[in-house]
Amino acid sequence: MNIQFNNQTIAFNVLYANRKKLYIHIDSTGHITIKAPNGTSDDEVMAAVERNGERIVQKLQALEAVRSAPKVKEYQDEGKFLHLGKYYLLHELIETKELTEEELKVSLKKFYFSSCKKIIGERIKPYQTQLKVKAKTIEIVESRTKWGSCSSEKHLTFNYRLAMAPIEVIDYVIIHELCHLTHMNHDRSFWRRVGSIMPDYKEKEEFLARYGQSMTL
């Protein structure tokens, strides 16, 4: 099945099952599956896809942006770099005039650190309220292996490269680390808590696993 949304075709498959709610799943390749309760009509499915059309298109665009990532970073005005799941020319992100390549690299990294700090600071507040938890400290760091971490002393860290990811992926990492404030292990209780806030968290994990290596300088 497919519908037209803002001059873009959204193609999807429908999977019916004994479930209570309709759920839209987009995998890391951009394949869309509508998981619907038995007896859901085609009109109801189409209406649900249309209601979520903007979110679906944004997710597909983010996936395409990462798939088309340039192999070599070009530190010049026309070089392209990810920010919040979309590519921007270097001069759209930072001042580039009269800077050497090394100075551009330093300036761009500072931009990502600053952007990540601002985004995390804004996005974490409502989730702390929702989960009824509070981190002691929040720090933006550079890491090759972790997107976020939570210590036993309730200190949270977030990788500055998250500023390159779509906002819903950033939200997932925030929720993940906040849930560690009450569940330090990745046990069933932990994943149930994550799922209670973000039911489609596996999509975000899949995105990071598949495209995380592209989100780098």
Side-chain angles (χ1 to χ4, degrees), residues 9-169:
T9 300
I10 299 177
F12 55 91
N13 292 327
V14 184
L15 181 64
Y16 298 96
N18 185 22
R19 55 189 299 123
K20 292 183 179 180
K21 296 182 180 180
L22 184 145
Y23 174 65
I24 300 173
H25 175 73
I26 307 173
D27 69 18
S28 59
T29 67
H31 181 76
I32 304 170
T33 302
I34 311 301
K35 300 179 180 181
N38 289 328
T40 304
S41 69
D42 288 352
D43 287 345
E44 289 175 308
V45 171
M46 299 288 271
V49 174
E50 189 167 3
R51 281 197 305 273
N52 291 275
E54 186 172 351
R55 181 179 69 87
I56 293 171
V57 169
Q58 288 176 347
K59 176 67 177 292
L60 294 176
Q61 289 174 341
L63 289 169
E64 179 57 33
V66 178
R67 277 198 295 270
S68 59
K71 297 295 186 293
V72 179
K73 303 295 184 184
E74 296 183 6
Y75 288 87
Q76 55 186 359
D77 281 358
E78 300 305 310
K80 292 183 178 181
F81 294 85
L82 276 169
H83 185 233
L84 299 182
K86 296 181 180 180
Y87 273 100
Y88 293 87
L89 298 176
L90 183 58
H91 71 264
E92 293 178 306
L93 300 178
I94 62 171
E95 178 59 55
T96 60
K97 291 181 180 179
E98 299 180 5
L99 296 181
T100 66
E101 182 173 323
E102 193 57 38
E103 288 171 334
L104 288 172
K105 290 180 180 179
V106 172
S107 181
L108 185 59
K109 182 175 284 190
K110 286 182 179 179
F111 164 79
Y112 281 121
F113 264 91
S114 176
S115 177
C116 189
K117 182 178 181 179
K118 181 176 184 294
I119 294 164
I120 296 293
E122 292 173 351
R123 306 293 293 185
I124 201 169
K125 292 176 183 176
Y127 290 122
Q128 285 190 134
T129 300
Q130 199 169 355
L131 288 162
K132 298 179 180 179
V133 295
K134 180 78 172 179
K136 285 188 177 179
T137 63
I138 299 169
E139 185 180 4
I140 308 303
V141 301
E142 181 172 2
S143 174
R144 291 181 177 273
T145 59
K146 294 182 178 180
W147 293 107
S149 68
C150 174
S151 74
S152 57
E153 290 78 30
K154 298 187 176 182
H155 300 302
L156 302 187
T157 67
F158 295 94
N159 195 324
Y160 81 93
R161 293 188 293 120
L162 281 171
M164 303 178 193
I167 198 71
E168 66 269 16
V169 175

